[in-house]
Amino acid sequence: MAEAGPLDDSFPQKPVREEKPGGGEKPAGGEKPGRGERPGRGESAGRGAKAVREEPVAGERLSRRSLRDETLLVLALSLGASGVSALISFIGSVTRPGGLKDQAATLNASAAPGRPWLDLTWQLFGITTALVPVALVAHFLLREGRSLRTLGFDRGRPWPDLARGAAVAAVIGSTGIAFYLAARGLGFNLTVVPEALPEVWWKYPVLILSAVQNSVLEEVIVVGYLLRRLDQLGWSPGASLAASSVLRGSYHLYQGIGGFIGNMVMGVVFVYLYRRWGRVGPLVVAHSLLDIGAFVGYALLAGKVDWLPTA
């Protein structure tokens, strides 16, 4: 991993300025303090004058350590933790008697069986709180004078984003289904159950919301945010691509080896497209369509077609 030169550990500050009683300004220190007095931060700098509190300017330049720690904390609160959880789940699956394909990995399950309104509340709560790390990323970007638009997550180019996302989803979706069926048939993958919700009126809206939430969380953090931070830390493009792709594969490991490899390959494609387009918008669209197809498609086809495995 190649490292860039050290970043400045200090934050640039706005100079303290005094305001004259008449409304004019002059640099702080123009009036000597009285004997025994020493103007401090936020204190008055002279008689009849006051000092404006020092504030960090927009676009703080963070130290390498701050960038590294921030990135690790964001991942620890989101998909990094999911990767560790998936690894533990995978260890439990491979050490359980029987083959992987005889076990099931359920994605959207009921949180309160037999109590639809409570179940809906839990579903919406889970979807909302899962997006908190994205809000945290937005906060960190604002701190440096940027925004999610910097990552290409905005409504600035809706039609190109939709067109590109749909094209990517069409290619990856067809190959992804074939790869999953092959991996499961060879015993490398669990049987994935995309949904196990009760037949209630909110079933399909919740599945769609869940798909969009997954897409926003993963593409903003694993592609846009992570690549930006690794670039700032001096990582090479190849190392950043590997880190993002392996991370994506890691939190799908609960599905088995097939889930890990398939999503890691998808990660390579998504990083390449992000570098080319400079936007996560098309990737969010593609991922949303893929997950909607998987969730809703399974709900409509499970038990009605022979080629779709069920638990």
Side-chain angles (χ1 to χ4, degrees):
M1 177 179 70
E3 294 190 353
L7 301 177
D8 187 3
D9 287 334
S10 62
F11 296 155
Q13 303 283 337
K14 290 181 178 178
V16 179
R17 302 184 66 86
E18 295 176 4
E19 297 179 3
K20 294 181 180 179
E25 291 186 354
K26 65 178 180 178
E31 183 175 332
K32 294 183 180 179
R35 185 176 181 181
E37 297 177 349
R38 187 176 183 180
R41 182 174 179 178
E43 299 174 356
S44 57
R47 187 176 182 181
K50 63 180 180 179
V52 179
R53 184 178 300 275
E54 297 177 11
E55 299 281 353
V57 298
E60 292 177 349
R61 191 180 182 191
L62 302 179
S63 69
R64 180 185 303 281
R65 180 176 180 180
S66 296
L67 289 172
R68 181 200 64 197
D69 292 350
E70 172 198 301
T71 305
L72 292 175
L73 286 171
V74 168
L75 294 179
L77 290 171
S78 57
L79 296 168
S82 297
V84 176
S85 174
L87 175 60
I88 297 172
S89 177
F90 176 71
I91 293 173
S93 297
V94 296
T95 55
R96 186 178 300 145
L100 289 179
K101 68 178 182 180
D102 298 323
Q103 304 176 46
T106 304
L107 276 60
N108 295 283
S110 174
R115 306 182 66 183
W117 286 105
L118 181 61
D119 199 347
L120 174 61
T121 303
W122 277 119
Q123 299 293 338
L124 296 178
F125 173 78
I127 291 170
T128 303
T129 54
L131 290 173
V132 171
V134 176
L136 184 61
V137 164
H139 167 74
F140 285 140
L141 290 173
L142 286 173
R143 184 185 59 181
E144 58 178 297
R146 307 295 181 182
S147 68
L148 290 176
R149 175 174 292 184
T150 306
L151 310 180
F153 185 61
D154 56 29
R155 295 178 295 177
R157 303 184 62 187
W159 297 116
D161 287 351
L162 287 171
R164 288 171 170 175
V168 173
V171 174
I172 292 182
S174 56
T175 56
I177 292 175
F179 182 80
Y180 160 67
L181 294 175
R184 180 183 176 277
L186 293 172
F188 296 147
N189 220 77
L190 285 76
T191 298
V192 178
V193 179
E195 72 84 22
L197 295 176
E199 293 296 332
V200 289
W201 64 269
W202 48 259
K203 175 177 180 174
Y204 292 102
V206 162
L207 290 176
I208 293 172
L209 288 175
S210 178
V212 174
Q213 171 257 299
N214 289 341
S215 309
V216 172
L217 177 67
E218 294 186 36
E219 306 316 324
V220 168
I221 292 182
V222 179
V223 178
Y225 171 76
L226 182 60
L227 292 181
R228 177 176 175 82
R229 286 294 182 252
L230 294 182
D231 288 347
Q232 291 172 319
L233 289 170
W235 285 45
S236 68
S240 298
L241 181 148
S244 176
S245 303
V246 171
L247 175 60
R248 186 187 294 270
S250 72
Y251 55 79
H252 289 94
L253 190 57
Y254 68 92
Q255 299 177 10
I257 297 296
F260 173 78
I261 295 176
N263 281 278
M264 189 169 63
V265 172
M266 175 177 163
V268 171
V269 174
F270 274 28
V271 168
Y272 170 78
L273 294 177
Y274 176 71
R275 295 290 195 191
R276 183 179 179 86
W277 295 333
R279 296 182 58 79
V280 298
L283 308 182
V284 171
V285 171
H287 196 153
S288 296
L289 293 176
L290 288 170
D291 278 6
I292 291 173
F295 298 167
V296 175
Y298 185 89
L300 295 173
L301 298 177
K304 300 178 182 178
V305 293
D306 296 333
W307 56 268
L308 183 62
T310 57

